[in-house]
Amino acid sequence: MSQLSRRAFLGASITTVSTTAFASPLLDFLSSDSAAAEVFGILQTHLQISSADRHLVQPFLRRLRTPGLHTESPATFQAWLNRAPGYEVNLAAYVLEEFAVASNFLAVQGGHESKLKILPS
Amino acid sequence: MADIKLPQNDDQQKRAAELAGAGSIYKYNHDIGLPLIDTPGPEDKNQPDWTLKIFTKLLSIRTNIQAIYEKTGLKFQEPKPVRDIPKLIEVLKSDGSVSDYFAPDLGFVAGPDNRAKAVSDYVDKVFVDRDKDNKGSAPLPDMATVWDSDKTFAYNFLAGPNPNQVERYRLETRPADFDITSLDLGSLPEFGGDSMARAIGEGRVYLVDRSDLRALFGNLPNAPAPNASPRVFKTEISGEWKYIYAPYVAFALPPGGKHILPIAIQCGAKAEGHQVYTPRDGYTWKMARACMLAAHNNHHEVVTHLGLTHLLVDPICMATRLRLHTSHPIYKLLSPHFEGTAAVNVGARTGLILPERSVDRLVGSKIEMDYPYLGGQRLGYSFRANFPKLRQNTRGTDNATLLPNYPYREDSALIWDAIHNWVSDYVSIWYRSEADIRADFELQAWANEINDIGKVKDFCLTGGGVQGRDDLIDILTMTIFTAGPQHAAVNFPQGKEMIFVPANPLAGYGQAPKGLGHSEADFLGILPPLDVAVQTWSILSLLAGVNNTRLGDYRGAFNWHPVSEAYRLKFRVNLGVVEGNINSANNYRRSVYGLDYVHLLPSRIPASVNI
């Protein structure tokens, strides 16, 4: 799987997501390889997540698809994907914030644990 | 087994050397006039589950704050908190303040928009991120629908944030300035045919005396504004006048009634023109209720919550680190009950309770006024006289016929007994005789440190030290009760009963009523402005929204010792029985009050003060 650029990621999402019935296509898109690549890119860029932890991305994305396990609505997320003002910061920061609460990243960062994992929801 | 030893049975030289090491780490700090841990040691770190809960809660709080900015039209001084990658990276790598990132100080809202025009503003402009099913990051608490009844007002004193302040109204000990003997009780709804003489004689009348807040009046940091009386001052940061009251409230149980009801409130000294109001007085009565709650909640945050849980446990934690070796059985027992305490207390002392920070912002009194008052209350608090059942007996609130449906009293007694049984079992393992206690020089030094250096009054009986196994069981039970259940009882109501400001204001913003005939506008004028209501929501959401560690869970500390672990499991089973009993009681309480009392459900009680 090649890692897509953010532009490609956004383009894919825009064509996939319907503005009137966004939920299902969006959730489908979030299951895709291109979404995984984009999210991993964000984690790698900002948190220096190693390639060995790439397998955490799919379970993390599953959380982002699960109602009640994340802070933003699909509509907001879709707006960023549609390049709403500030989308670049919001998209990356949203992924980082959600990853911090979905994983044991903070425990690893604090030296309490050594192996990164997604926490049970 | 080899890991736990009494000092008299161990290598004393080695233990002494290692304890001396603790002495180089732990120092007392007296910045606010009380002996407190200066810097948390390695044993005092919060665990990662705590950090994760803080982060998760703050994330949720920011969502509602953003909604407030976007949907209410309130113009705060500070810009809306937004996502910022460089700052977020600092937070994630532990170099930045997580609360400043997610839920920073918003500043104030200037102008008339800041005043509520109706009570509904406290719903619509504070609990913004909630959907039609009351879900989202700011669900409305049950209190928001029942807050305005006298029954709920009384409930606040029996199951709210400051639930152990009620005492029986006795002619021989009543406050001289609060004489309600001539009140026409029979004219009040639900008291038809009753009289004060009969109700007092039968022991059905109770009071809460908040005239103790007069002690704050002398602590004003600067001269008040020219037109202000001594108990009025203007906060420099908001421009809003805040008022401190020193009121009294009386309650009575109607003949054959299921719960007490408020019958009289006096908002200050008679000599200053304050009169007794009753439920017949319309909005003037509602203003009096708000004054009473503001004073009661001021006392709650400064004394009951901060002073008598956080800052009472702190010197006990300090002495445990200084005087008990890590292999001491009492160290093993207590250390999980201090998890995170020093860290949160140092955080409070260097942030939350500094001038013009959160506590200063929200409660009626200014922080410079609070320190001497807090110090006096904490140092004067008798550790032993406040064992819950003894306290209730002394205050005349232990009779379930004369004071029925008192949730805090009922549930705290169950929890106390469960802890007492567990501690008794545990002590019996390690101390086979009274002589073992007397020979345990670390234990004796520990108790004396708490009593003499930590200034916990009556921690030791006359003669000092620990005087036997029963004595040890009592003080350990009270220590664990204070760190766990008592803190839970006074902390978590912040997110349920106090978070909706009209139900439980933390300060008053208008003068106490004088005369009769006040209006709804006068009542709204007493309640906090909307910027304070938002900040109250934000801070109390965090304080009550992080519930970490659990009573009875020692993070595996006794796994290696089958007898201790068996007793611990017995403790857990007993707590499970208590949970069932409280749930059953709540079915009935719901029918009486329309509210559950959940704060002493064992499944919700942390083991330690960590937030």
Side-chain angles (χ1 to χ4, degrees), chain A residues 20-103:
Chain A
T20 53
F22 55 79
S24 179
L26 174 62
L27 299 186
D28 288 347
F29 176 71
L30 281 172
S31 310
S32 69
D33 287 348
S34 52
E38 179 68 14
V39 166
F40 183 68
I42 291 169
L43 297 175
Q44 198 172 38
T45 301
H46 296 290
L47 302 182
Q48 290 77 51
I49 303 298
S50 77
S51 297
D53 291 322
R54 194 182 192 104
H55 65 284
L56 299 177
V57 172
Q58 280 302 343
F60 173 49
L61 282 172
R62 268 199 293 280
R63 272 183 67 115
L64 291 182
R65 296 196 300 269
T66 307
L69 292 183
H70 47 85
T71 51
E72 294 292 357
S73 68
T76 302
F77 199 70
Q78 185 194 17
W80 294 335
L81 296 174
N82 285 329
R83 305 186 187 193
Y87 75 90
E88 286 194 318
V89 169
N90 277 315
L91 185 62
Y94 175 59
V95 166
L96 297 174
E97 288 172 359
E98 293 297 335
F99 188 73
V101 298
S103 73

Side-chain angles (χ1 to χ4, degrees), chain A residues 48 72 80 97 109 119, chain B residues 52 62 83 92-93 101:
Chain A
Q48 290 77 51
E72 294 292 357
W80 294 335
E97 288 172 359
Q109 194 66 31
L119 299 170
Chain B
L52 185 64
R62 185 188 61 192
R83 295 188 170 97
L92 290 175
K93 300 198 169 175
Y101 175 73

Side-chain angles (χ1 to χ4, degrees), chain B residues 514-592:
Chain B
K514 293 271 178 76
L516 291 164
H518 287 282
S519 65
E520 181 180 12
D522 295 334
F523 167 64
L524 290 169
I526 286 231
L527 296 180
L530 293 167
D531 54 8
V532 175
V534 169
Q535 199 73 3
T536 301
W537 177 87
S538 174
I539 290 166
L540 299 189
S541 290
L542 178 64
L543 295 180
V546 176
N547 190 322
N548 201 43
T549 73
R550 191 62 64 234
L551 186 64
D553 180 356
Y554 286 79
R555 293 197 189 268
F558 303 118
N559 285 351
W560 61 275
H561 188 242
V563 179
S564 298
E565 182 61 6
Y567 282 140
R568 188 192 71 82
L569 290 172
K570 179 182 153 194
F571 178 38
R572 291 296 297 258
V573 168
N574 288 341
L575 290 174
V577 172
V578 170
E579 181 100 3
N581 290 341
I582 294 176
N583 280 327
S584 297
N586 275 335
N587 289 331
Y588 183 66
R589 290 166 185 162
R590 213 173 297 123
S591 73
V592 173

Side-chain angles (χ1 to χ4, degrees), chain B residues 454-470:
Chain B
K455 303 289 183 195
V456 177
K457 184 182 174 188
D458 299 332
F459 193 85
C460 296
L461 293 166
T462 305
V466 178
Q467 300 191 358
R469 286 184 292 185
D470 287 347

